[in-house]
């Protein structure tokens, strides 16, 4: 999610975002579950500046006021958005659907005077460099929540949203080797739409540091029942009927001697060997191997979910004879390292199943 001042990244597997059960607020540790979202100071308003002869981007941002140079609001420092204008990714005549004209010539002159000339470079090369520096900063953050946690980014799709996400994420996916990029239909308000789709969720836990071979399934069932009773009581107090409430069980497990745990789904267990097999599957998926060491349970968790009313989603029409191509314009291609002709398409005229040949 890339906006004006920051970029947020999170991994979602099987429809479930990654969760951390400890969070920090400044120097304070909080024992509450939070989605594992990583944030860096990289957005459309991030300011490009020179550290001697080294090009830097962010973390300082032009914000909404004065904003990027191209907005004409008084901004004097080149930003990622200004670089996007210089590279041809933003059409100055069609910004905000044509409601706002951008100052392209002023933008090019300011990038030239403040960065390109001191580096004895060109506006195009400097603008490309602004994107590449931002890309390098972002790739490191993505690898923290993928590669460093045993996940291969090449096996994931990437969703790009926020005001600047769709413009930037294809380059990020190319760098990480992701095979698919998904851009929502209204990316700049996708977070707000997500809030409308969100359920009410409460987490309940019980610590049971016990080797798996010593756990009796009836005891496990009793512990889960107690946690689920707490979950249903809390959801009822929130106004949710039983028909709109559900629970999910999981056990945090590890091999004896390990520090980190793996969360294992625990619904529908028939015996303790089921749990052992599920743990082995999750450990193999996360770390690429299993061991013969003794496995142990660490925490039992129940997630109480109150289902909220969701807005309906309509389907796009199937592609017809009318094409959505509306123009061509010159833009920088990172694949060929040069300015080339791009086809321009109207997003609102794209139909389901329509296939476009790039660069576009």
């Amino acid at each position: 999610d890339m906006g004006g001042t920051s970029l947020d990244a999170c991994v979602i597997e099987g429809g479930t975002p990654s969760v951390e059960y400890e969070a920090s607020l400044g120097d304070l540790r909080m024992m509450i579950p939070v989605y594992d979202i990583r944030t860096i100071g990289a957005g459309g308003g991030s300011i490009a500046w020179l550290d001697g002869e080294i090009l830097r981007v962010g973390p300082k941002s032009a914000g909404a006021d004065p904003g990027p140079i191209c907005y004409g609001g008084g901004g004097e420092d080149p930003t990622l958005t200004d670089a996007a204008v210089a590279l041809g990714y933003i059409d100055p005549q069609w910004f905000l659907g044509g409601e706002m004209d951008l100052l392209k010539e002023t933008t090019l002159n300011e990038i030239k005077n403040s960065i390109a000339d001191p580096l004895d470079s060109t506006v195009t090369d400097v603008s490309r460099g602004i994107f590449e520096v931002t890309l390098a900063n972002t790739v490191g953050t993505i690898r923290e929540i993928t590669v460093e946690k045993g996940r291969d980014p090449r096996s994931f799709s990437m969703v790009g949203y926020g005001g600047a996400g769709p413009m930037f994420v294809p380059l990020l996916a190319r760098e990480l080797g992701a095979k698919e990029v998904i851009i929502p239909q209204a990316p700049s308000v996708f977070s707000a739409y997500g809030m409308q789709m969100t359920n009410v969720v409460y987490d309940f836990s019980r610590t049971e540091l016990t080797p798996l071979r010593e756990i009796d399934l009836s005891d496990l069932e009793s512990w889960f029942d107690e946690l689920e009773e707490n979950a249903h009581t809390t959801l009822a107090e929130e106004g949710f009927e039983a028909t709109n409430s559900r629970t999910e069980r999981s056990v945090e497990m590890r091999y004896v001697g390990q520090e980190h745990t793996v969360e294992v789904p625990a619904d529908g267990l028939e015996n303790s060997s089921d749990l052992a097999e599920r743990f082995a599957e999750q450990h193999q998926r996360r770390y690429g191997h299993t061991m013969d060491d003794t496995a142990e349970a660490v925490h039992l968790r129940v997630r109480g979910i109150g289902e909220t009313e969701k807005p309906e989603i309509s389907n796009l029409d199937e592609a017809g004879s009318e094409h959505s191509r509306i123009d061509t314009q010159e833009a920088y291609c990172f694949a060929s390292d040069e300015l080339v002709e791009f086809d321009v398409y109207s997003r609102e005229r794209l139909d389901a199943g329509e296939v476009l040949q790039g660069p576009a």
Side-chain angles (χ1 to χ4, degrees):
D1 175 10
M2 191 176 195
T5 59
S6 64
L7 179 143
D8 301 321
C10 181
V11 171
I12 299 173
E13 289 183 288
T16 303
S18 297
V19 173
E20 295 285 324
Y21 289 99
E22 295 181 15
S24 295
L25 184 60
D27 295 328
L28 302 177
R29 300 289 289 172
M30 300 183 297
M31 301 297 290
I32 59 172
V34 297
Y35 291 134
D36 184 14
I37 300 173
R38 305 300 172 94
T39 302
I40 62 171
S46 295
I47 291 173
W49 54 285
L50 292 178
D51 183 5
E53 294 187 352
I54 299 174
L55 178 63
R56 308 276 191 190
V57 182
K60 188 177 180 181
S61 174
D65 184 13
I69 297 168
C70 60
Y71 286 6
E76 297 179 350
D77 299 310
T79 65
L80 184 70
T81 297
D82 295 312
V85 171
L87 293 176
Y89 298 150
I90 295 176
D91 185 347
Q93 308 305 315
W94 197 247
F95 195 67
L96 292 183
E99 295 180 15
M100 178 178 175
D101 288 333
L102 301 183
L103 308 180
K104 183 175 181 178
E105 291 305 317
T106 302
T107 300
L108 299 181
N109 288 334
E110 289 296 336
I111 294 175
K112 180 179 184 298
N113 295 334
S114 61
I115 299 181
D117 286 350
L119 292 178
D120 194 23
S121 185
T122 66
V123 170
T124 298
D125 284 345
V126 163
S127 299
R128 179 196 65 190
I130 291 172
F131 266 75
E132 288 178 336
V133 170
T134 307
L135 193 61
N137 293 339
T138 309
V139 165
T141 299
I142 300 293
R143 284 181 171 148
E144 286 180 8
I145 56 177
T146 54
V147 176
E148 293 182 17
K149 296 205 171 183
R151 302 181 178 110
D152 186 349
R154 294 173 298 181
S155 65
F156 284 83
S157 300
M158 294 194 74
V159 181
Y161 58 100
M167 176 181 68
F168 186 73
V169 166
L171 299 177
L172 185 58
R174 184 171 176 268
E175 186 73 16
L176 291 165
K179 297 297 188 292
E180 180 179 64
V181 172
I182 300 168
I183 307 298
Q185 195 167 15
S188 58
V189 293
F190 193 60
S191 289
Y193 178 75
M195 292 300 293
Q196 292 185 304
M197 302 294 288
T198 302
N199 293 317
V200 173
V201 177
Y202 283 90
D203 284 277
F204 300 85
S205 65
R206 173 185 178 128
T207 300
E208 288 291 341
L209 191 60
T210 311
L212 183 58
R213 61 172 176 263
E214 297 179 13
I215 295 179
D216 185 273
L217 194 61
S218 61
D219 289 337
L220 194 65
E221 192 71 25
S222 175
W223 295 333
F224 273 128
D225 286 345
E226 185 180 324
L227 293 174
E228 285 181 337
E229 185 178 343
N230 292 336
H232 286 301
T233 298
T234 302
L235 290 172
E237 292 172 350
E238 288 280 357
F240 290 96
E241 302 288 341
T243 53
N244 294 328
S245 302
R246 60 185 174 89
T247 58
E248 295 175 352
R249 297 177 174 185
S250 65
V251 181
E252 280 191 62
M253 299 180 63
R254 66 188 179 190
Y255 290 114
V256 173
Q258 282 185 320
E259 177 184 359
H260 300 292
T261 60
V262 174
E263 189 165 355
V264 180
D267 288 303
L269 292 175
E270 294 185 2
N271 49 57
S272 58
S273 62
D274 278 355
L275 194 57
E277 291 174 5
R278 294 181 188 185
F279 169 63
E281 290 173 3
Q282 294 293 329
H283 199 279
Q284 176 72 37
R285 184 178 302 161
R286 177 64 57 85
Y287 298 111
H289 71 279
T290 57
M291 300 191 295
D292 295 328
D293 297 32
T294 300
E296 64 180 357
V298 180
H299 303 295
L300 276 62
R301 298 193 181 276
V302 164
R303 177 163 295 164
I305 302 169
E307 298 279 0
T308 60
E309 189 174 345
K310 310 291 193 304
E312 291 187 15
I313 304 173
S314 59
N315 291 325
L316 288 174
D317 294 330
E318 291 295 322
S321 58
E322 182 185 6
H323 217 271
S324 54
R325 180 177 173 276
I326 56 174
D327 199 2
T328 61
Q329 72 182 51
E330 191 177 58
Y332 189 83
C333 177
F334 276 81
S336 60
D337 287 330
E338 60 182 343
L339 289 166
V340 300
E341 282 290 309
F342 276 65
D343 288 325
V344 180
Y345 297 85
S346 167
R347 174 58 190 258
E348 63 186 18
R349 283 166 54 181
L350 288 176
D351 293 322
E354 191 165 346
V355 178
L356 316 176
Q357 296 299 320

